[in-house]
Structure formats: structure tokens, C-alpha cells
Amino acid sequence: MIPTLIWILLALLAIGVYLSWTAGRLDRLHVRMDAARAALDAQLLRRASVAQELATSGVLDPAASIVLYEAAHAARQAEEDQREVAESELSQALRAVFEDARQVEGVRAAPGGEDAAHELAEAVRRVPMARRFHNDAVGAARRLREHRKVRWFRLAGHAPFPLAFEMDDEPPAALVERVA
């Protein structure tokens, strides 16, 4: 009787340790996901700020300035549920404004334009990387949360189900080809 009770207690202890380890792993994945989201938000804000600054600098033609400014402003002011769409529209505006290499050269030729173009190119190149890191962290958390043991024992607590950030983040080729 007593040896059976000891084996049952040891089995329950092993299961408890395993579930605790899994919950800790899930918590670390959520922390990693939150840090990646913060980095993505910072890169998106940087890209929108640089685009808005370039649009108001006077080095672009008026039509391009208006398109770029409105898209950047919309991206900065977007609510969370509309953020992906607004950021995609900013990517499309950047590609529309900088689709021609002559436009990029015109910006670079203006006083202070070389630095502005370089800063925008760097911001545009970092967004896809930050989004990839975020979506990788989301994928890892989702895969772990889909396991039965996590669902049955509610190891995720009340944390919302992680969602990937899907947007059009293709950079304008004429802008980033000289930086690469």
C-alpha cells in the first residue's frame, strides 16, 4: 500500500514539474513575442516618422509629398485593428513615390537629402526583419498553445491567442538598392 502511494506521489510530482516547465516555456515565449512586437512597433513608427519628415522637407514634388505624408500620418494614427492596413498603405505609397530611381536621386541631390534617403532606406529595410522576428515568435507560441496539455490544464492563463502581423512590407527597390 505505501510503496504504491509513494509511486503515485512521485508520478504526480513528475507531471507537476513537467507542466510547470511547460508553463514557464510558454511564458518565456509570450515575453519574447511581446518584445518582438515592441521592436516591430518601434520600427514601424520610425519608418512612418522618417517618411513624414521627408514628405514635409520640400525635396519631393508636391503630389508625392501629399501622398507620402497622408500615408505616413495614417500609419502613425491608426487604431490597432486598422494598423496592418495602414502600414501596408504606407508601403504602397513608398513604392509609388520611389518607384523611379530618378526620384531617389533627386532626393539625394537636395541639401540634407543623402542623409534623409539613407535613413528612410534603413527604416524601410528593418521593418520586414522586425515583422519576421515577431511572426516567428507568434508561430512558436501558437504551436505550443495548440498542444492538448496546454489547453487541458489552461497553462496559457488568460493571455490572448497570439496573432501574426500581416502587412505588405516590400521596400521600394530604387530606394534600398544603393544602401545594400
Side-chain angles (χ1 to χ4, degrees), residues 134-154:
H134 174 264
N135 288 349
D136 287 347
V138 166
R142 283 178 133 179
R143 283 188 297 277
L144 184 58
R145 285 184 67 158
E146 289 171 353
H147 288 171
R148 268 186 243 137
K149 65 180 174 259
V150 174
R151 290 191 321 260
W152 287 352
F153 293 103
R154 297 188 180 151

Side-chain angles (χ1 to χ4, degrees), residues 104-127:
V104 177
E105 292 307 318
V107 169
R108 291 183 194 280
E114 184 71 35
D115 292 336
H118 181 72
E119 189 175 354
L120 181 61
E122 286 299 314
V124 165
R125 285 180 50 186
R126 289 180 180 164
V127 167

Side-chain angles (χ1 to χ4, degrees), residues 37-51:
R37 179 59 188 238
L40 175 61
D41 287 341
Q43 291 304 322
L44 292 172
L45 181 63
R46 180 174 181 239
R47 180 181 76 154
S49 297
V50 171

Side-chain angles (χ1 to χ4, degrees), residues 56-95:
T56 58
S57 67
V59 297
L60 297 173
D61 62 86
S65 292
I66 290 171
V67 167
L68 194 58
Y69 180 83
E70 286 180 355
H73 181 71
R76 289 183 72 180
Q77 300 298 320
E79 295 292 325
E80 192 60 35
D81 59 337
Q82 294 296 317
R83 184 108 188 257
E84 293 173 352
V85 173
E87 293 295 345
S88 293
E89 288 174 355
L90 177 56
S91 294
Q92 292 166 0
L94 284 165
R95 282 197 308 272

Side-chain angles (χ1 to χ4, degrees), residues 4-27:
T4 305
L5 189 58
I6 291 174
W7 283 112
I8 291 173
L9 288 175
L10 285 175
L12 288 175
L13 180 66
I15 291 170
V17 167
Y18 177 71
L19 290 176
S20 175
W21 175 80
T22 303
R25 181 172 164 226
L26 186 59
D27 185 53

